[in-house]
Amino acid sequence: MSDFKLNLSEAEEHLDEAVDGDVVLGVLNGSTPDREWIEAVEGGSVLVLAVEGDLNELANGFARPIKELGGSLTHFRRFLVVAPPGLEIDTDRL
């Protein structure tokens, strides 16, 4: 086996980088203003929203602005997963 050299001091420098955003669990039923969902994604959060009703109607007010920001939306089972720009939703296993 060959020698493997790892410089942990350099690796630790990258670990100190702060990650903005959270994973936000919510219900998409029309009771939350669209602007709140958009602001959460703009802040770097991932949304996992249980859809209660017609998805197209409920997401109509925020889907396009999020896509224009560079975010992505994926409907999976009864949930809408919304990711901010720079974070991809991997659907390869679906």
Side-chain angles (χ1 to χ4, degrees), residues 4 16 25 27 36 39 47 50-51 53 57-58 66 71 74 84 90:
F4 179 76
D16 292 335
L25 303 179
V27 178
E36 283 187 35
E39 288 173 356
L47 308 178
V51 179
E57 181 180 314
L58 293 169
I66 287 175
T74 300
D90 183 352

Side-chain angles (χ1 to χ4, degrees), residues 9 12 15-16 18 21 35 37 48-49 51-53 58 60 63-64 70-71 79 81 83 87 90-91 94:
S9 63
E12 288 176 353
L15 294 176
D16 292 335
R35 188 72 211 147
W37 299 132
V48 180
L49 306 175
V51 179
E52 292 185 353
L58 293 169
N60 185 45
R64 183 173 303 241
F79 295 92
V81 181
L87 185 63
D90 183 352
T91 60
L94 297 180

Side-chain angles (χ1 to χ4, degrees), residues 2 6 10 13 22 51 54 72 91:
S2 66
L6 177 63
E10 287 182 21
E13 290 176 14
D22 297 305
V51 179
D54 181 75
S72 57
T91 60

